[in-house]
Amino acid sequence: MTGNCLKILTPISSSRPPLFSLLSKPTKTQFKTSSSFVLSVKMSYHKELAAAKKAASLAAQLCQALNSCSLSPLCKVQKVLLQSDVQSKSDKSPVTVADYGMLVVSGRAACSQALVTFVLERELPSEPFSLVAEEDSTDLRNDGATDTLERITKLVNETITSDGSYSVPTLSTEDVLKAIDSGKSEGGSAGRHWVLDPIDGTKGFVRGDQYVIALALLDEGKVVLGVLACPNLPLASICGDYHKSSNNEVGCLFYAEVGAGTYMQSLNGFFTCEGWYKSLPLKNSEEASFFESYEKAHSQHDLSSSIAKKLGVKAPPVRIDSQAKYGALSRGDGAIYMRFPREGYREKIWDHAAGCIVVTEAGGVVSDAAGNPLDFSKGKYLDLNVGIIVTNQKLMPKLLKAVKESLEEQSSSL
Ligand SMILES: Nc1ncnc2c1ncn2[C@@H]1O[C@H](COP(=O)(O)O)[C@@H](O)[C@H]1OP(=O)(O)O
Ligand SMILES: [Mg+2]
Ligand SMILES: [Mg+2]
Ligand SMILES: [Mg+2]
């Protein structure tokens, strides 16, 4: 453990990156040593990672404040929402417009997006800024949204003031709208692009369960760093006897930089847990626990349970919302994550970029259902073969075989 953060050990991989990749080296250069061993010196993204951690942590603080202010009219609406079903957009994702309640939910995500944009631009003033993000300001520009817009502008300003690092004039509602709309980049394979899901796991957020602020950086189409701020995720493992754990603190920040590993610290800055080294995966598929979406509409539970059966998995699935699944997996809470969206759903890069590097830098493997790595260079969508599967290097061949068999069985039964 270093300072107040935990280094997540590589569960299976024997090919940890060399220590020199942790050092600050500004160029991508290949060196030949006298023994003709080729060393590839990696680009360092330390400055960008520090900015991303700060942005995601502040956004998490903002989301937590939104949830705990029981007297706020915003929260009263959320309480009503908790008892009602969340409406759908045309792409079948929850949220937005239709009524004031939905505006409040999308407004909160937009609020988080504005704050992340503000922090990244202030922390990295000399870098060109391109952001591919989920939210836009359309709903907040409607006449009926004035009150919500004023409230979220106030909350963004309060969070900036309470942090105390930036001496800027108070942001206006127009500043906030502009900050939200700077997330309209299309991404792609050239240059650098930030990728943001300002509230990932909207349904979990509305239910008071798991959600994350997920931020990643693409460089030439590759994910080079990722941060997952998980305000409701316990610091202790969420599998096995976790409910018996003496530590019931919540709020985790996972972060990873290419070639430099994955780390976790507590969101409040104090790290108190230990002992995860012992529970790292694994072993045999029978002992693996597997994660999937809480929402049946997001992933076919019957398909994953047929795959788990083939693998001999004994434990019941762990169903939680959002990319918190990637974070929990990276620290060894479970060994497998399976995601099989319903036909017609297109996965977006902001739903996987940060989670993907958090898992791969901890030694895991993320692929589509056919075993291809995820390609983040094609714009805001991921073009995938059927679904996404995640596990460690030892279990991946077995998992792929089981996935293939179950998919064949599924298509022959149609
Ligand atoms: N119909 C759907 N199928 C699959 N994923 C969806 C669907 N609707 C929304 N999502 C997105 O899936 C992610 C949540 O997945 P999970 O079920 O694993 O929590 C979220 O990013 C959510 O978007 P959002 O960011 O708006 O919440
Ligand atoms: Mg959404
Ligand atoms: Mg999402
Ligand atoms: Mg979202």
Side-chain angles (χ1 to χ4, degrees), residues 109 134-135 197-202 350-351:
E134 182 180 6
E135 303 299 331
D197 194 334
I199 293 184
D200 177 49
T202 314
W350 54 70
D351 285 326

Side-chain angles (χ1 to χ4, degrees), residues 175-216:
D175 294 332
V176 168
L177 292 171
K178 271 197 206 137
I180 296 165
D181 283 337
S182 54
K184 281 186 174 162
S185 164
E186 288 295 317
S189 58
R192 289 187 181 187
H193 307 279
W194 290 99
V195 179
L196 171 69
D197 194 334
I199 293 184
D200 177 49
T202 314
K203 289 231 175 182
F205 176 72
V206 170
R207 244 190 278 109
D209 286 341
Q210 296 305 325
Y211 68 97
V212 310
I213 293 88
L215 180 60

Side-chain angles (χ1 to χ4, degrees), residues 51-67:
K53 283 172 67 182
K54 177 151 193 191
S57 303
L58 273 184
Q61 198 180 302
L62 176 68
C63 293
Q64 280 167 297
L66 285 162
N67 272 344

Side-chain angles (χ1 to χ4, degrees), residues 78 172 216 286 303 330 381:
Q78 174 148 341
S172 65
E286 295 80 17
L303 185 55
S330 76
Y381 293 105

Side-chain angles (χ1 to χ4, degrees), residues 307-318:
I307 295 160
K309 210 166 154 196
K310 285 185 193 303
L311 292 169
V313 171
K314 294 191 198 92
V318 179

